[in-house]
Amino acid sequence: GMETKEDDFVRDLFIASAHQYMLFFTTQGKVYWRKVHELPKASRTARGRAIVNVLNLGADEAVTAFLPVRDLNEEGRFVFMVTKTGVIKKTALKAFSNPRAAGIIALDLDPGDQLWDVLLSSGNDNILIATHKGLAIRFPEKDVRPMGRTARGVIGIRLQPDDYVVGVSLAEDDKTVLSVTENGYGKRTQVGEYRLQHRGGQGIINIKTSKRNGN
């Protein structure tokens, strides 16, 4: 796929068409746009370009999530965000339909918090949030009302002091969830085994974070 530096690795791979937008979300709660055809093209074995050369990021800012989107004005689509400390926010995709190269605020963050993961939802999905210490919560997206771009968000999961969110995904009943630990152990679980709760709870055990497994 590509040549990488020794301490680097590929984390995400997806197919996008030239006229789609890429929305890049950063730790600081900002979103930047690029049309796919504006991104540098490179041969199969090339190393690629550093994202800081493509986006005008601030000094303490890193990209944590991105969405390929064809139509920014599509009705009934939401950008669903989760922060490291378990704050969630849902905003209509249309609120992001006026691209600005310098980036705009997607979410107002508490000091020390970071925007961690983002997905596109329909307004009627169930959401699963998973944590570093092996907990997870599944709740209906309807629990969260849509908010404007600069709003702060609400509690999605209540975390233990030393815990943080590792990811968010849509959780349809007929799918399975793959949980993977630091030491390379993993398991698949039916989504239905995560009973539906209300947002803001502590969640249930998703995978044991033992000495063998790691976090």
Side-chain angles (χ1 to χ4, degrees):
M2 67 182 287
E3 189 191 319
T4 55
K5 296 185 185 136
E6 267 182 28
D7 60 345
D8 201 5
F9 55 89
V10 177
R11 202 194 81 169
D12 288 287
L13 174 73
F14 50 86
I15 294 166
S17 68
H19 297 290
Q20 278 182 310
Y21 289 94
M22 284 294 300
L23 271 54
F24 295 93
F25 294 84
T26 73
T27 45
Q28 305 287 311
K30 287 177 80 175
V31 58
Y32 297 79
W33 294 255
R34 288 292 178 273
K35 274 277 185 74
V36 170
H37 67 73
E38 295 171 339
L39 299 171
K41 211 168 173 178
S43 72
R44 186 175 61 78
T45 53
R47 185 168 271 185
R49 293 268 297 288
I51 211 152
V52 290
N53 299 330
V54 181
L55 308 175
N56 317 320
L57 299 179
D60 300 330
E61 201 172 8
V63 172
T64 51
F66 40 81
L67 298 172
V69 179
R70 197 174 294 276
D71 177 10
L72 290 168
N73 287 299
E74 194 182 338
E75 293 287 341
R77 299 282 268 173
F78 295 91
V79 173
F80 195 99
M81 299 168 255
V82 61
T83 76
K84 193 172 182 178
T85 67
V87 172
I88 55 174
K89 185 179 156 188
K90 179 169 81 173
T91 300
L93 178 61
K94 282 191 305 206
F96 299 97
S97 63
N98 295 323
R100 255 176 268 160
I104 61 168
I105 297 288
L107 151 98
D108 185 33
L109 290 163
D110 289 326
D113 202 3
Q114 295 182 330
L115 178 54
W116 213 232
D117 207 353
V118 178
L119 48 80
L120 274 179
S121 65
S122 68
N124 301 308
D125 288 303
N126 290 327
I127 305 285
L128 183 86
I129 297 175
T131 83
H132 181 61
K133 294 284 182 193
L135 297 172
I137 190 169
R138 184 167 77 115
F139 59 88
E141 183 187 355
K142 285 200 168 89
D143 268 11
V144 192
R145 65 180 178 78
M147 298 178 204
R149 263 198 317 105
T150 54
R152 192 171 222 123
V154 294
I155 295 284
I157 185 168
R158 255 173 239 288
L159 297 170
Q160 307 298 322
D162 58 346
D163 203 2
Y164 60 87
V165 168
V166 289
V168 62
S169 72
L170 301 181
E172 302 163 52
D173 282 339
D174 57 341
K175 301 272 168 69
T176 57
V177 177
L178 174 65
S179 305
V180 182
T181 66
E182 282 175 324
N183 296 342
Y185 292 91
K187 65 171 182 132
R188 284 199 313 146
T189 310
Q190 283 290 333
V191 167
E193 288 195 36
Y194 300 86
R195 68 172 192 277
L196 269 180
Q197 295 176 279
H198 287 298
R199 69 161 183 87
Q202 294 185 348
I204 57 173
I205 291 178
N206 174 32
I207 190 166
K208 286 201 168 65
T209 51
S210 58
K211 209 174 187 131
R212 181 196 85 147
N213 282 354
N215 284 318

